[in-house]
Amino acid sequence: MGLDDRDALRVLHDAFAAPCDASGVVAQFFNRWFGTDPSVRDLFPADLSPQRDAFAHAMSWVLGEFLAHRAQPPVSFLAQLGRDHRKYGVTQRHYQSVGQVLLVTLREALADRWTAAVDEAAREALNLIIGVMGGAADAEEGPAWWDGTVIEHLRVSRDIAVIRLQLDQPMPYHPGQYVKVEVPQCPRSWRYLSPSIPADETGAIEFHVRAVPAGLVSTAIVNETRPGDRWRLSSPLGGLHVDRGGGDVLMVAGSTGLAPLRSMIMDLTRWGENPRVHLFFGGRYPCELYDLPTLWQIAAHNPWLSVTPVSEYPRDPDWSADYPDVTPPRGLHLRQTGRLADVVTRYGNWGDRQILVCGGPEMTRATVAALIAKGTPPQRIQHDPLSA
């Protein structure tokens, strides 16, 4: 039965859904792969933890989609990944070895749960995953990566920076997509970032970055980036979007999760008529709502946009005096206090809206769960597959 066998697919899905530690399936796979082909190790940074987590999450999500008999989302996602992986120097030889090594690793790790049905499902799933990624990579004629120069670094809060670059050549992407970024301070350590402006024909691009605790790359970007630094960007990924004919929109942004939603809002300003868009923009403190002045300017000229600021704490800490005042002029909704998920669902389940949620994993999970608990149809909610 292969990919039609739900029981077999569930066994495979559960193998990747388990905690990703040094003894798990994913760690065993990487160890075996590097042992089979030592040259592959040079494609990865010294600390493999983020790569192991991302690989496990991606496999779990793809197999979950197969389990639900949803083919189009994972195929689109895998094609994007295949195009993206060209930046690492991944070749068809690598794809073939990944499939072989992963099949052997799963067979040994699952032991007595490895049945003929599981074997068939694993082979079909891996053939599809590898085939889509490898085929998309071969078919792509665009650059494997884009290089650019940092032209401005703005420290807008203690943990948040706005980075503006000039790319050597323009990058085509859809508002709401994200890219992987490599910075000179952390070679071979790539981090997902979302452009905060629509694609620009001159090659200008902007990112909003928050330093994550224990986050090597994000901390280096916020604290150490300087004009003149050379960055490398991957092909764009992701499918977040607004359907202009699909009804009114709810956007929920936690901190720098604002970036992709801001890009979509800016893109919508090109049109004279749009669906109504209500944006909840949240941060820990009022001073961390760093882009309220820009949002106010957009809303002042586009009556279809309304913005509700939300902060977990009612007052700013003492250190906020060291950074720009982000208090917007009168015109936005009054700032609300509380957890973003609680404030959003205080107004209902928004079940008649297109809903887009962007932010850190905890915020995304909490907001999606709160909406669904309130009665929101899950199919109305969009968020990136790697963000929660």
Side-chain angles (χ1 to χ4, degrees), residues 241-247 249 267-268 270-275 354:
H241 68 282
V242 169
D243 179 359
R244 292 185 58 250
V249 182
D267 186 62
L268 287 172
R270 298 185 300 123
W271 307 92
E273 295 185 7
N274 283 308
Q354 304 178 66

Side-chain angles (χ1 to χ4, degrees), residues 50 60 96 116 127 138 225 233 241 284 307 324 332 340 369 377 379 385:
S60 176
Q96 294 306 315
N127 285 341
D138 276 351
T225 295
L233 281 58
H241 68 282
R284 291 174 301 177
V307 180
L332 294 183
L340 190 54
Q379 64 270 21

Side-chain angles (χ1 to χ4, degrees), residues 122-168:
R123 291 178 185 275
E124 288 193 13
L126 291 175
N127 285 341
L128 178 57
I129 291 169
I130 291 167
V132 171
M133 291 183 67
D138 276 351
E140 180 59 42
E141 298 179 352
W145 60 75
W146 282 259
D147 290 329
T149 302
V150 174
I151 59 173
E152 195 168 16
H153 174 275
L154 302 175
R155 192 70 171 267
V156 295
S157 184
R158 184 173 64 173
D159 301 327
I160 300 172
V162 172
I163 316 294
R164 295 180 178 134
L165 296 96
Q166 180 64 46
L167 300 179
D168 295 348

Side-chain angles (χ1 to χ4, degrees), residues 124-277:
E124 288 193 13
L126 291 175
N127 285 341
L128 178 57
I129 291 169
I130 291 167
V132 171
M133 291 183 67
D138 276 351
E140 180 59 42
E141 298 179 352
W145 60 75
W146 282 259
D147 290 329
T149 302
V150 174
I151 59 173
E152 195 168 16
H153 174 275
L154 302 175
R155 192 70 171 267
V156 295
S157 184
R158 184 173 64 173
D159 301 327
I160 300 172
V162 172
I163 316 294
R164 295 180 178 134
L165 296 96
Q166 180 64 46
L167 300 179
D168 295 348
Q169 57 180 318
M171 171 190 284
Y173 59 86
H174 300 295
Q177 288 193 296
Y178 55 90
V179 298
K180 276 189 171 182
V181 173
E182 181 188 37
V183 300
Q185 292 83 0
C186 305
R188 298 198 305 277
S189 293
W190 297 75
R191 189 183 190 276
Y192 289 110
L193 295 178
S194 295
S196 61
I197 60 175
D200 183 89
E201 62 183 11
T202 70
I205 195 167
E206 177 183 292
F207 299 104
H208 299 174
V209 185
R210 183 183 187 122
V212 178
L216 179 66
V217 179
S218 64
T219 300
I221 291 174
V222 171
N223 294 330
E224 302 172 22
T225 295
R226 298 291 182 269
D229 284 355
R230 295 284 289 173
W231 284 22
R232 176 160 289 180
L233 281 58
S234 76
S235 298
L237 302 166
L240 284 180
H241 68 282
V242 169
D243 179 359
R244 292 185 58 250
D248 292 339
V249 182
L250 168 67
M251 295 183 174
V252 185
S255 187
T256 52
L258 174 68
L261 303 182
R262 180 187 193 262
S263 179
M264 285 187 273
I265 289 170
M266 286 184 166
D267 186 62
L268 287 172
T269 64
R270 298 185 300 123
W271 307 92
E273 295 185 7
N274 283 308
R276 290 182 301 162
V277 177

Side-chain angles (χ1 to χ4, degrees), residues 40-196:
V40 173
R41 185 65 180 86
D42 292 336
L43 302 178
F44 294 87
D47 180 11
L48 275 176
S49 299
Q51 279 67 34
R52 286 201 298 256
D53 290 344
F55 182 80
H57 203 149
M59 289 295 296
S60 176
W61 182 80
V62 169
L63 290 167
E65 294 294 289
F66 290 164
L67 187 58
H69 287 174
R70 291 190 291 263
Q72 187 55 48
V75 167
S76 298
F77 175 67
L78 290 167
Q80 289 181 335
L81 279 184
R83 292 189 288 268
D84 170 67
H85 276 56
R86 294 177 304 141
K87 70 179 184 294
Y88 298 121
V90 174
T91 66
Q92 292 299 323
R93 176 178 66 84
H94 294 127
Y95 283 118
Q96 294 306 315
S97 66
V98 164
Q100 295 165 5
V101 171
L102 191 51
L103 186 66
V104 172
T105 304
L106 284 168
R107 183 187 300 128
E108 290 189 4
L110 292 173
D112 56 344
R113 287 177 291 168
W114 190 266
T115 63
V118 172
D119 183 90
E120 182 180 1
R123 291 178 185 275
E124 288 193 13
L126 291 175
N127 285 341
L128 178 57
I129 291 169
I130 291 167
V132 171
M133 291 183 67
D138 276 351
E140 180 59 42
E141 298 179 352
W145 60 75
W146 282 259
D147 290 329
T149 302
V150 174
I151 59 173
E152 195 168 16
H153 174 275
L154 302 175
R155 192 70 171 267
V156 295
S157 184
R158 184 173 64 173
D159 301 327
I160 300 172
V162 172
I163 316 294
R164 295 180 178 134
L165 296 96
Q166 180 64 46
L167 300 179
D168 295 348
Q169 57 180 318
M171 171 190 284
Y173 59 86
H174 300 295
Q177 288 193 296
Y178 55 90
V179 298
K180 276 189 171 182
V181 173
E182 181 188 37
V183 300
Q185 292 83 0
C186 305
R188 298 198 305 277
S189 293
W190 297 75
R191 189 183 190 276
Y192 289 110
L193 295 178
S194 295
S196 61

